[in-house]
């Protein structure tokens, strides 16, 4: 209304006051790759919301030959599982560590997270979902993508730490 009425000083004062009332937000830049950065930012916010410490060190260039959707699905599924596992930790530290690197025309992610309880292996060698009696769809999707890309997915659970490492060649 201020704009339509030509009251630009009042509009500026209103916008300044409105901006001051907003909660402080800061956009963290984890790496130069926009899709990866967006996924990391989203899950970092989710982790903070649930009292989970998230340590991220990822070195990916702005452009790589692997489609952004592929990176987003892989990283998103792994981080979604990590946040959920940490949320179920009743005592002790809730922590997610993300390492990522682009080297020799391949993208590598190594994600570790704390968890509680016992993880069961499925007949196919993967881990069974804690949500149902089947293996989780997220890990299955990541495994399929890794295979289609000619890469690998390695999973390990030991002493309350779950590790997912994925290598995706271009």
């Amino acid at each position: 209304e201020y704009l339509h009425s030509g009251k630009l000083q009042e509009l500026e004062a209103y916008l300044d006051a409105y901006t001051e009332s907003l909660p402080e937000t800061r956009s963290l830049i984890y790496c130069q790759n926009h899709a990866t950065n967006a996924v990391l930012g989203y899950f970092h916010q989710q982790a903070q919301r649930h009292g989970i410490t998230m340590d991220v060190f990822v070195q990916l260039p702005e452009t790589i030959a692997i489609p952004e959707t592929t990176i987003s699905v892989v990283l998103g599924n792994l981080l979604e599982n990590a946040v959920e596992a940490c949320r179920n930790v009743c005592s002790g530290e809730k922590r997610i560590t993300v390492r990522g690197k682009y080297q020799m025309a391949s993208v590598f992610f190594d994600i570790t997270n704390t968890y509680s309880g016992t993880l069961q292996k499925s007949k196919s060698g993967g881990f069974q979902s804690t949500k149902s009696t089947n293996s989780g769809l997220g890990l299955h999707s990541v495994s399929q993508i890794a295979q289609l890309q000619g890469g690998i997915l390695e999973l390990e659970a030991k002493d309350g730490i779950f590790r997912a490492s994925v290598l995706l060649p271009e």
Side-chain angles (χ1 to χ4, degrees):
E1 186 60 35
Y2 286 137
L3 181 62
H4 290 295
S5 302
K7 298 178 179 178
L8 299 182
Q9 287 181 326
E10 289 87 346
L11 174 60
E12 185 176 1
Y14 171 79
L15 290 175
D16 287 343
Y18 184 77
T19 301
E20 296 272 331
S21 72
L22 294 173
E24 184 181 334
T25 59
R26 57 185 180 143
S27 295
L28 295 176
I29 297 176
Y30 303 97
C31 68
Q32 299 304 309
N33 184 272
H34 299 296
T36 302
N37 203 60
V39 172
L40 289 168
Y42 173 78
F43 282 102
H44 196 183
Q45 286 180 344
Q46 294 298 309
Q48 285 179 325
R49 188 172 290 141
H50 297 290
I52 302 165
T53 301
M54 190 164 156
D55 178 36
V56 179
F57 184 76
V58 175
Q59 296 177 309
L60 264 64
E62 185 174 351
T63 57
I64 53 178
I66 299 171
E68 289 183 341
T69 53
T70 299
I71 298 289
S72 296
V73 169
V74 167
L75 195 54
N77 277 308
L78 294 176
L79 288 173
E80 182 177 11
N81 287 349
V83 168
E84 184 167 333
C86 285
R87 285 181 60 192
N88 293 325
V89 171
C90 297
S91 63
E93 185 178 27
K94 297 178 179 188
R95 173 178 281 285
I96 299 171
T97 302
V98 181
R99 299 292 180 256
K101 189 166 190 160
Y102 175 81
Q103 189 171 12
M104 297 171 47
S106 295
V107 173
F108 174 75
F109 289 111
D110 185 67
I111 300 169
T112 61
N113 61 270
T114 53
Y115 73 93
S116 60
T118 304
L119 299 180
Q120 301 294 321
K121 290 262 188 169
S122 66
K123 293 177 185 175
S124 65
F127 286 91
Q128 280 188 253
S129 173
T130 57
K131 297 180 232 175
S132 68
T133 57
N134 301 321
S135 62
L137 292 176
L139 288 179
H140 182 70
S141 295
V142 172
S143 179
Q144 282 190 321
I145 289 170
Q147 286 177 358
L148 288 172
Q149 288 284 136
I152 56 171
L153 170 66
E154 292 183 354
L155 306 171
E156 176 187 16
K158 184 177 179 183
D159 299 328
I161 303 291
F162 185 86
R163 166 174 266 125
S165 300
V166 63
L167 176 72
L168 302 170
E170 288 187 322

